[in-house]
Amino acid sequence: MNKKLARLRRARKTRARIAEMQAVRLCVYRSNNHIYAQIIDADRVLAQASSVEADVRGEFKHGSNTAAAAAVGKRIAEKAKAAGVESVAFDRSGFQYHGRVKALAEAARENGLNF
């Protein structure tokens, strides 16, 4: 089993647990160059933010650092509030809760998103 398959196996288990709870989820994807976040409710995307967006991309030299991830976390929390979402389940997509994923989660919590 390679790294990608192991990550997808972990993600599948987490998503099954979240589906049982029937909760809105904050899904995070981390690539080498950027970080992406979506608020998903039963296969409908309610809000999304990423380091590719012009507002975030203009602030930071790279989209692959913790500062850019924190900015994305702040934006997703603001967009979730605008969509009427206060509480979510955190879906880290099998990524380790460390570095950019952790920075995004903490910034979202600081800006009013509960999980």
Side-chain angles (χ1 to χ4, degrees):
M1 183 176 297
N2 61 21
K3 284 177 78 170
K4 184 176 180 181
L5 289 176
R7 181 185 69 80
L8 293 174
R9 180 184 55 82
R10 288 190 302 270
R12 193 171 42 248
K13 287 175 17 179
T14 303
R15 289 184 183 138
R17 217 171 298 124
I18 292 171
E20 286 177 5
M21 296 187 319
Q22 297 179 344
V24 177
R25 64 187 170 114
L26 169 58
C27 185
V28 175
Y29 177 72
R30 174 182 61 92
S31 72
N32 285 337
N33 296 322
H34 296 286
I35 191 158
Y36 309 84
Q38 294 179 325
I39 303 288
I40 302 173
D41 180 24
D43 299 328
R44 274 189 30 239
V45 177
L46 302 176
Q48 66 87 27
S50 71
S51 61
V52 177
E53 293 176 353
D55 297 340
V56 178
R57 196 172 27 171
E59 290 180 38
F60 303 100
K61 185 175 179 182
H62 301 287
S64 60
N65 56 21
T66 56
V72 171
K74 181 179 177 183
R75 287 182 57 85
I76 196 68
E78 292 168 355
K79 289 182 177 184
K81 281 186 175 181
V85 177
E86 293 291 327
S87 179
V88 295
F90 188 61
D91 177 6
R92 55 189 173 82
S93 300
F95 294 109
Q96 188 177 26
Y97 187 79
H98 178 76
R100 291 188 283 158
V101 175
K102 183 177 179 180
L104 187 145
E106 288 177 351
R109 279 191 190 108
E110 288 171 2
N111 287 285
L113 206 54
N114 296 321
F115 55 94

